[in-house]
Amino acid sequence: MKKLFLSILLILTAYSLTAYSLQPAWATVYYADGDSLGGAASDSNNCTALVTPCLKVQGVINKGLVPGDIVNIRVAEYFERVNLTVSGIAGSFITFQGYLTERPTIVGAEVFSGSWSVDSGSRYVSVNNSITWTPKMMVTRCPTTDVLMDSRNNTSAVNVNNAGEWWYDSVNKKAYAWMPGSVNPSTCSIRFTQLPTSAAGWDGLFFVQADYILIQNINVKYSNAGAIFGGETAGVQGKFLQVKNVDADWTYQAGIKSYKRDYTYFYTNTVNHAVVSHFIEGGSGQPEPMNFGQGDFNVAESNTITNSYFMGCPSIGSADTTSSGNNISINNVCTNVDHATYTNRSWRNRFQNNTVTEGGDNLYISPEPSSVGNNKYNVYVGSTLKGGDSCSRLLTYGATPNKSYNNYIVNNTCYDTDKGFWSQNTSTTLYDNEFKNNIIYGVSGNPVIMAQNGNPSDNDWVKNLHFSTAVSTKYFDQTGN
């Protein structure tokens, strides 16, 4: 496993170094300039110089990119959905990046310019036909911090009766809002998400269906779906998508996600306020703030994920087949995520040296029964996990549950979780997992259960240290102090 881990990192590091250092003679540098900083921007320009830039990123793509091309994006807001289907080649990635030190932002919502009037009390209403699309989110800034308005359970204007609530009237195409602090919405910067128009879970403002692509040094915000989504390439397994130093914020669906792709590398990205759909709609089956789905040899390194409404730091190896695995999550920092990681029907993944605060069932190892596939040979090592429901939870369920076996949970430190290690099932579905050299400790009465195992003889518990100030803790379901 260690040799495989190093091999994957070396492969992706090598491609990272060559992604934009080698530019073939036929390659071109293009420019997009949404605010016409260098010259009058138009998608009819040649877009190959600062003084003749394209207006949109998609305008550059439509010029016909080839391997090795670089797209420099000037600082501005780009209200568009970028759709990329042309690939680079090994050693000649197609690169999209902020120009020099500039940070352009691709947005799925513009600042609302419509007018407001009082409807009743502190509830305001926009004019008819002022919002002709179906927004999934209303994000307001009054005056400096973005706040998500709450539309849960609102089916009419009369339901908007507390500060921070809103409702979209799809018949008259207008919004009702009771602003935070009961202020006049005309004094705030307000965005109603619009793009992508489908608002699907498998979509993004930057949608990649191509290989050997590098995206770096940009922001992606206010998406009606996801931020960056890498899918299949021409209907087959995609490969080599690198996303670096991207700030993804306020997405209704996934933050940064790859699906049916191999050799993906997510590095030093920030994902904040992702998967708002889980907050608004509730339920399960939502996409993750960062995820590798149905892919092999993917790496997430040194990313920061905060205030997301569903699991993933990132989720690794979540799959609908038994062939997905060999993914790595290392040195990520995550706060307020539903679960730190969710391993689902996959094997040989590695979750290492991550720091997680309030991560729910932090190490959630649970193969769903919706299709055949087991969790096996996964390694969870050296992470610090604070708060949440449990340090590690192994669970199988369903009429014919899949299995979790030969997983290795070692050298982790957990504290202030409601439970330590929680293995819920018996030898038929959970067995031969090893818990070794972990430290579990709690204060103020937590954890109540240090280790709970449905059948202790089927898993191996070696040299774990448990400490708590709780009056009555449990170890192997036995009460003790």
Side-chain angles (χ1 to χ4, degrees):
M1 170 63 82
K2 185 175 181 180
K3 290 182 178 179
L4 176 63
F5 169 71
L6 292 174
S7 297
I8 296 171
L9 284 179
L10 286 173
I11 290 171
L12 289 176
T13 300
Y15 273 100
S16 175
L17 292 174
T18 60
Y20 53 95
S21 60
L22 299 178
Q23 184 183 7
W26 64 82
T28 304
V29 177
Y30 291 94
Y31 298 87
D33 188 352
D35 284 347
S36 297
L37 299 174
S42 171
D43 291 343
S44 62
N45 289 339
N46 60 23
C47 308
T48 57
L50 284 169
V51 295
T52 56
C54 277
L55 181 65
K56 299 286 189 180
V57 178
Q58 191 66 44
V60 175
I61 294 173
N62 294 342
K63 295 297 179 183
L65 300 178
V66 300
D69 282 352
I70 296 174
V71 180
N72 286 319
I73 309 171
R74 300 297 308 270
V75 62
E77 282 197 358
Y78 296 82
F79 177 61
E80 60 178 309
R81 176 183 179 270
V82 178
N83 185 27
L84 180 65
T85 58
V86 60
S87 296
I89 58 175
S92 294
F93 279 53
I94 295 176
T95 299
F96 295 82
Q97 62 187 8
Y99 174 65
L100 298 179
T101 60
E102 296 178 1
R103 295 284 301 197
T105 304
I106 298 173
V107 297
E110 296 179 291
V111 175
F112 182 64
S113 59
S115 60
W116 297 87
S117 62
V118 174
D119 179 63
S120 175
S122 295
R123 183 173 64 232
Y124 287 76
V125 60
S126 66
V127 300
N128 286 353
N129 298 309
S130 58
I131 306 170
T132 57
W133 59 96
T134 303
K136 292 292 186 178
M137 293 188 296
M138 176 183 177
V139 181
T140 181
R141 181 177 295 180
C142 305
T144 58
T145 302
D146 281 346
V147 175
L148 175 69
M149 297 287 285
D150 190 355
S151 61
R152 293 174 299 171
N153 305 316
N154 293 342
T155 58
S156 69
V158 297
N159 298 131
V160 182
N161 50 23
N162 288 290
E165 294 183 347
W166 81 290
W167 175 67
Y168 176 64
D169 180 353
S170 59
V171 175
N172 297 300
K173 302 186 183 305
K174 60 184 178 180
Y176 293 84
W178 191 322
M179 301 300 292
S182 300
V183 301
N184 187 326
S186 299
T187 65
C188 303
S189 174
I190 297 171
R191 298 177 190 255
F192 296 97
T193 56
Q194 183 174 357
L195 300 176
T197 55
S198 66
W202 310 108
D203 202 349
L205 278 176
F206 208 124
F207 191 63
V208 179
Q209 302 174 85
D211 298 336
Y212 298 99
I213 303 299
L214 170 62
I215 304 168
Q216 62 182 357
N217 305 330
I218 67 171
N219 307 319
V220 186
K221 303 182 71 173
Y222 311 116
S223 174
N224 227 24
I228 296 177
F229 185 90
E232 294 176 291
T233 300
V236 300
Q237 193 84 356
K239 57 186 178 182
F240 291 106
L241 168 64
Q242 297 190 6
V243 181
K244 301 179 180 180
N245 197 27
V246 168
D247 181 2
D249 198 4
W250 294 115
T251 60
Y252 195 70
Q253 302 288 359
I256 301 175
K257 181 180 178 73
S258 71
Y259 178 69
K260 294 187 177 180
R261 298 191 69 91
D262 302 329
Y263 299 104
T264 299
Y265 188 36
F266 296 155
Y267 180 66
T268 62
N269 302 292
T270 299
V271 176
N272 197 15
H273 305 111
V275 200
V276 173
S277 57
H278 186 61
F279 170 73
I280 299 295
E281 300 172 4
S284 59
Q286 306 290 344
E288 299 82 358
M290 184 174 285
N291 175 257
F292 304 125
Q294 296 193 36
D296 296 326
F297 309 112
N298 302 298
V299 174
E301 181 182 3
S302 300
N303 301 285
T304 301
I305 302 173
T306 56
N307 301 315
S308 291
Y309 296 98
F310 209 47
M311 56 196 173
C313 183
S315 284
I316 53 176
S318 179
D320 289 324
T321 68
T322 57
S323 62
S324 177
N326 303 302
N327 301 297
I328 299 169
S329 170
I330 184 170
N331 294 334
N332 300 291
V333 177
C334 301
T335 304
N336 293 326
V337 293
D338 198 43
H339 302 306
T341 188
Y342 182 19
T343 309
N344 180 15
R345 300 188 299 274
S346 189
W347 56 56
R348 291 190 301 271
N349 298 293
R350 191 176 185 94
F351 187 85
Q352 178 174 341
N353 296 350
N354 297 296
T355 302
V356 182
T357 304
E358 297 298 335
D361 290 312
N362 284 284
L363 305 179
Y364 193 38
I365 308 167
S366 176
E368 294 179 355
S370 56
S371 55
V372 177
N374 299 318
N375 285 331
K376 55 184 178 181
Y377 314 131
N378 299 292
V379 174
Y380 307 86
V381 58
S383 294
T384 300
L385 310 165
K386 179 182 185 298
D389 298 322
S390 64
C391 179
S392 176
R393 183 182 184 187
L394 281 78
L395 170 67
T396 60
Y397 59 97
T400 55
N402 295 313
K403 302 175 182 179
S404 287
Y405 58 91
N406 295 122
N407 298 291
Y408 193 46
I409 300 96
V410 59
N411 294 340
N412 300 287
T413 299
C414 303
Y415 57 104
D416 277 344
T417 58
D418 292 333
K419 301 177 182 67
F421 292 110
W422 191 13
S423 173
Q424 289 186 256
N425 302 83
T426 59
S427 58
T428 57
T429 57
L430 294 175
Y431 56 89
D432 293 338
N433 300 291
E434 185 169 353
F435 300 81
K436 185 176 182 180
N437 296 339
N438 299 286
I439 300 174
I440 312 172
Y441 65 93
V443 295
S444 302
N446 286 325
V448 176
I449 301 175
M450 288 296 186
Q452 178 172 324
N453 194 7
N455 191 331
S457 63
D458 299 316
N459 295 304
D460 192 13
W461 305 75
V462 182
K463 295 183 180 179
N464 297 288
L465 174 63
H466 307 83
F467 171 78
S468 177
T469 59
V471 174
S472 180
T473 62
K474 290 184 178 181
Y475 180 65
F476 282 167
D477 293 331
Q478 301 300 314
T479 300
N481 295 315

PDB file of all heavy atoms in Angstrom, residues 84-102:
ATOM      1  N   LEU A  84     -16.333  22.496 -21.583  1.00  0.00           N
ATOM      2  CA  LEU A  84     -15.088  22.131 -22.254  1.00  0.00           C
ATOM      3  C   LEU A  84     -15.141  20.684 -22.710  1.00  0.00           C
ATOM      4  O   LEU A  84     -15.315  19.772 -21.895  1.00  0.00           O
ATOM      5  CB  LEU A  84     -13.909  22.347 -21.320  1.00  0.00           C
ATOM      6  CG  LEU A  84     -12.524  22.008 -21.866  1.00  0.00           C
ATOM      7  CD1 LEU A  84     -12.167  22.934 -23.024  1.00  0.00           C
ATOM      8  CD2 LEU A  84     -11.471  22.098 -20.768  1.00  0.00           C
ATOM      9  N   THR A  85     -14.962  20.456 -23.995  1.00  0.00           N
ATOM     10  CA  THR A  85     -14.976  19.096 -24.549  1.00  0.00           C
ATOM     11  C   THR A  85     -13.712  18.772 -25.338  1.00  0.00           C
ATOM     12  O   THR A  85     -13.573  17.644 -25.819  1.00  0.00           O
ATOM     13  CB  THR A  85     -16.195  18.900 -25.456  1.00  0.00           C
ATOM     14  OG1 THR A  85     -16.181  19.871 -26.510  1.00  0.00           O
ATOM     15  CG2 THR A  85     -17.497  19.039 -24.672  1.00  0.00           C
ATOM     16  N   VAL A  86     -12.786  19.708 -25.495  1.00  0.00           N
ATOM     17  CA  VAL A  86     -11.552  19.458 -26.236  1.00  0.00           C
ATOM     18  C   VAL A  86     -10.438  19.127 -25.252  1.00  0.00           C
ATOM     19  O   VAL A  86     -10.306  19.777 -24.215  1.00  0.00           O
ATOM     20  CB  VAL A  86     -11.174  20.655 -27.125  1.00  0.00           C
ATOM     21  CG1 VAL A  86     -10.953  21.905 -26.293  1.00  0.00           C
ATOM     22  CG2 VAL A  86      -9.942  20.353 -27.959  1.00  0.00           C
ATOM     23  N   SER A  87      -9.634  18.114 -25.560  1.00  0.00           N
ATOM     24  CA  SER A  87      -8.631  17.591 -24.624  1.00  0.00           C
ATOM     25  C   SER A  87      -7.220  18.034 -24.975  1.00  0.00           C
ATOM     26  O   SER A  87      -6.905  18.326 -26.135  1.00  0.00           O
ATOM     27  CB  SER A  87      -8.672  16.055 -24.625  1.00  0.00           C
ATOM     28  OG  SER A  87      -9.905  15.573 -24.144  1.00  0.00           O
ATOM     29  N   GLY A  88      -6.374  18.042 -23.949  1.00  0.00           N
ATOM     30  CA  GLY A  88      -4.941  18.119 -24.162  1.00  0.00           C
ATOM     31  C   GLY A  88      -4.387  16.727 -24.378  1.00  0.00           C
ATOM     32  O   GLY A  88      -5.129  15.764 -24.608  1.00  0.00           O
ATOM     33  N   ILE A  89      -3.082  16.610 -24.299  1.00  0.00           N
ATOM     34  CA  ILE A  89      -2.424  15.312 -24.415  1.00  0.00           C
ATOM     35  C   ILE A  89      -1.357  15.219 -23.329  1.00  0.00           C
ATOM     36  O   ILE A  89      -1.035  16.211 -22.673  1.00  0.00           O
ATOM     37  CB  ILE A  89      -1.786  15.111 -25.811  1.00  0.00           C
ATOM     38  CG1 ILE A  89      -0.764  16.216 -26.097  1.00  0.00           C
ATOM     39  CG2 ILE A  89      -2.844  15.061 -26.899  1.00  0.00           C
ATOM     40  CD1 ILE A  89      -0.004  16.025 -27.415  1.00  0.00           C
ATOM     41  N   ALA A  90      -0.813  14.047 -23.142  1.00  0.00           N
ATOM     42  CA  ALA A  90       0.233  13.854 -22.137  1.00  0.00           C
ATOM     43  C   ALA A  90       1.382  14.829 -22.396  1.00  0.00           C
ATOM     44  O   ALA A  90       1.925  14.893 -23.507  1.00  0.00           O
ATOM     45  CB  ALA A  90       0.736  12.421 -22.182  1.00  0.00           C
ATOM     46  N   GLY A  91       1.759  15.602 -21.372  1.00  0.00           N
ATOM     47  CA  GLY A  91       2.836  16.578 -21.500  1.00  0.00           C
ATOM     48  C   GLY A  91       2.402  17.917 -22.044  1.00  0.00           C
ATOM     49  O   GLY A  91       3.189  18.873 -22.024  1.00  0.00           O
ATOM     50  N   SER A  92       1.156  18.012 -22.544  1.00  0.00           N
ATOM     51  CA  SER A  92       0.659  19.275 -23.094  1.00  0.00           C
ATOM     52  C   SER A  92      -0.798  19.470 -22.670  1.00  0.00           C
ATOM     53  O   SER A  92      -1.730  19.267 -23.449  1.00  0.00           O
ATOM     54  CB  SER A  92       0.782  19.291 -24.626  1.00  0.00           C
ATOM     55  OG  SER A  92       2.129  19.282 -25.034  1.00  0.00           O
ATOM     56  N   PHE A  93      -0.963  19.835 -21.413  1.00  0.00           N
ATOM     57  CA  PHE A  93      -2.295  20.116 -20.901  1.00  0.00           C
ATOM     58  C   PHE A  93      -2.857  21.386 -21.543  1.00  0.00           C
ATOM     59  O   PHE A  93      -2.107  22.276 -21.954  1.00  0.00           O
ATOM     60  CB  PHE A  93      -2.239  20.328 -19.392  1.00  0.00           C
ATOM     61  CG  PHE A  93      -2.204  19.073 -18.570  1.00  0.00           C
ATOM     62  CD1 PHE A  93      -1.254  18.081 -18.800  1.00  0.00           C
ATOM     63  CD2 PHE A  93      -3.116  18.881 -17.549  1.00  0.00           C
ATOM     64  CE1 PHE A  93      -1.202  16.934 -18.032  1.00  0.00           C
ATOM     65  CE2 PHE A  93      -3.085  17.734 -16.766  1.00  0.00           C
ATOM     66  CZ  PHE A  93      -2.128  16.757 -17.014  1.00  0.00           C
ATOM     67  N   ILE A  94      -4.161  21.496 -21.620  1.00  0.00           N
ATOM     68  CA  ILE A  94      -4.818  22.768 -21.890  1.00  0.00           C
ATOM     69  C   ILE A  94      -5.063  23.441 -20.545  1.00  0.00           C
ATOM     70  O   ILE A  94      -5.640  22.841 -19.641  1.00  0.00           O
ATOM     71  CB  ILE A  94      -6.135  22.577 -22.654  1.00  0.00           C
ATOM     72  CG1 ILE A  94      -5.848  22.003 -24.051  1.00  0.00           C
ATOM     73  CG2 ILE A  94      -6.880  23.904 -22.786  1.00  0.00           C
ATOM     74  CD1 ILE A  94      -7.092  21.682 -24.843  1.00  0.00           C
ATOM     75  N   THR A  95      -4.610  24.693 -20.418  1.00  0.00           N
ATOM     76  CA  THR A  95      -4.608  25.375 -19.120  1.00  0.00           C
ATOM     77  C   THR A  95      -5.555  26.562 -19.114  1.00  0.00           C
ATOM     78  O   THR A  95      -5.557  27.380 -20.042  1.00  0.00           O
ATOM     79  CB  THR A  95      -3.185  25.861 -18.782  1.00  0.00           C
ATOM     80  OG1 THR A  95      -2.305  24.746 -18.710  1.00  0.00           O
ATOM     81  CG2 THR A  95      -3.161  26.609 -17.460  1.00  0.00           C
ATOM     82  N   PHE A  96      -6.347  26.663 -18.039  1.00  0.00           N
ATOM     83  CA  PHE A  96      -7.186  27.829 -17.769  1.00  0.00           C
ATOM     84  C   PHE A  96      -6.712  28.412 -16.441  1.00  0.00           C
ATOM     85  O   PHE A  96      -6.699  27.713 -15.423  1.00  0.00           O
ATOM     86  CB  PHE A  96      -8.659  27.430 -17.671  1.00  0.00           C
ATOM     87  CG  PHE A  96      -9.244  26.916 -18.954  1.00  0.00           C
ATOM     88  CD1 PHE A  96      -9.046  25.594 -19.334  1.00  0.00           C
ATOM     89  CD2 PHE A  96      -9.987  27.750 -19.780  1.00  0.00           C
ATOM     90  CE1 PHE A  96      -9.577  25.110 -20.518  1.00  0.00           C
ATOM     91  CE2 PHE A  96     -10.521  27.272 -20.970  1.00  0.00           C
ATOM     92  CZ  PHE A  96     -10.313  25.949 -21.343  1.00  0.00           C
ATOM     93  N   GLN A  97      -6.359  29.709 -16.438  1.00  0.00           N
ATOM     94  CA  GLN A  97      -5.770  30.266 -15.229  1.00  0.00           C
ATOM     95  C   GLN A  97      -6.004  31.766 -15.142  1.00  0.00           C
ATOM     96  O   GLN A  97      -6.212  32.448 -16.158  1.00  0.00           O
ATOM     97  CB  GLN A  97      -4.267  29.995 -15.199  1.00  0.00           C
ATOM     98  CG  GLN A  97      -3.498  30.625 -16.338  1.00  0.00           C
ATOM     99  CD  GLN A  97      -2.032  30.199 -16.367  1.00  0.00           C
ATOM    100  OE1 GLN A  97      -1.610  29.325 -15.631  1.00  0.00           O
ATOM    101  NE2 GLN A  97      -1.248  30.843 -17.211  1.00  0.00           N
ATOM    102  N   GLY A  98      -5.981  32.261 -13.895  1.00  0.00           N
ATOM    103  CA  GLY A  98      -5.987  33.699 -13.711  1.00  0.00           C
ATOM    104  C   GLY A  98      -4.707  34.297 -14.278  1.00  0.00           C
ATOM    105  O   GLY A  98      -3.614  33.723 -14.148  1.00  0.00           O
ATOM    106  N   TYR A  99      -4.847  35.443 -14.906  1.00  0.00           N
ATOM    107  CA  TYR A  99      -3.698  36.100 -15.524  1.00  0.00           C
ATOM    108  C   TYR A  99      -2.768  36.656 -14.442  1.00  0.00           C
ATOM    109  O   TYR A  99      -3.187  37.419 -13.567  1.00  0.00           O
ATOM    110  CB  TYR A  99      -4.184  37.217 -16.442  1.00  0.00           C
ATOM    111  CG  TYR A  99      -3.091  38.063 -17.032  1.00  0.00           C
ATOM    112  CD1 TYR A  99      -2.164  37.513 -17.913  1.00  0.00           C
ATOM    113  CD2 TYR A  99      -2.979  39.405 -16.712  1.00  0.00           C
ATOM    114  CE1 TYR A  99      -1.157  38.291 -18.470  1.00  0.00           C
ATOM    115  CE2 TYR A  99      -1.988  40.203 -17.263  1.00  0.00           C
ATOM    116  CZ  TYR A  99      -1.069  39.627 -18.137  1.00  0.00           C
ATOM    117  OH  TYR A  99      -0.068  40.401 -18.677  1.00  0.00           O
ATOM    118  N   LEU A 100      -1.507  36.237 -14.478  1.00  0.00           N
ATOM    119  CA  LEU A 100      -0.511  36.636 -13.502  1.00  0.00           C
ATOM    120  C   LEU A 100      -1.061  36.425 -12.089  1.00  0.00           C
ATOM    121  O   LEU A 100      -1.383  35.312 -11.722  1.00  0.00           O
ATOM    122  CB  LEU A 100      -0.088  38.089 -13.754  1.00  0.00           C
ATOM    123  CG  LEU A 100       0.572  38.364 -15.128  1.00  0.00           C
ATOM    124  CD1 LEU A 100       0.918  39.834 -15.280  1.00  0.00           C
ATOM    125  CD2 LEU A 100       1.800  37.493 -15.318  1.00  0.00           C
ATOM    126  N   THR A 101      -1.182  37.498 -11.287  1.00  0.00           N
ATOM    127  CA  THR A 101      -1.685  37.343  -9.921  1.00  0.00           C
ATOM    128  C   THR A 101      -3.176  37.656  -9.807  1.00  0.00           C
ATOM    129  O   THR A 101      -3.722  37.694  -8.703  1.00  0.00           O
ATOM    130  CB  THR A 101      -0.906  38.272  -8.969  1.00  0.00           C
ATOM    131  OG1 THR A 101      -1.079  39.630  -9.385  1.00  0.00           O
ATOM    132  CG2 THR A 101       0.569  37.920  -8.961  1.00  0.00           C
ATOM    133  N   GLU A 102      -3.855  37.874 -10.909  1.00  0.00           N
ATOM    134  CA  GLU A 102      -5.271  38.240 -10.871  1.00  0.00           C
ATOM    135  C   GLU A 102      -6.149  37.026 -10.554  1.00  0.00           C
ATOM    136  O   GLU A 102      -5.793  35.879 -10.867  1.00  0.00           O
ATOM    137  CB  GLU A 102      -5.685  38.868 -12.199  1.00  0.00           C
ATOM    138  CG  GLU A 102      -4.966  40.177 -12.481  1.00  0.00           C
ATOM    139  CD  GLU A 102      -5.335  40.779 -13.826  1.00  0.00           C
ATOM    140  OE1 GLU A 102      -6.168  40.199 -14.547  1.00  0.00           O
ATOM    141  OE2 GLU A 102      -4.774  41.842 -14.153  1.00  0.00           O
TER     142      GLU A 102
END
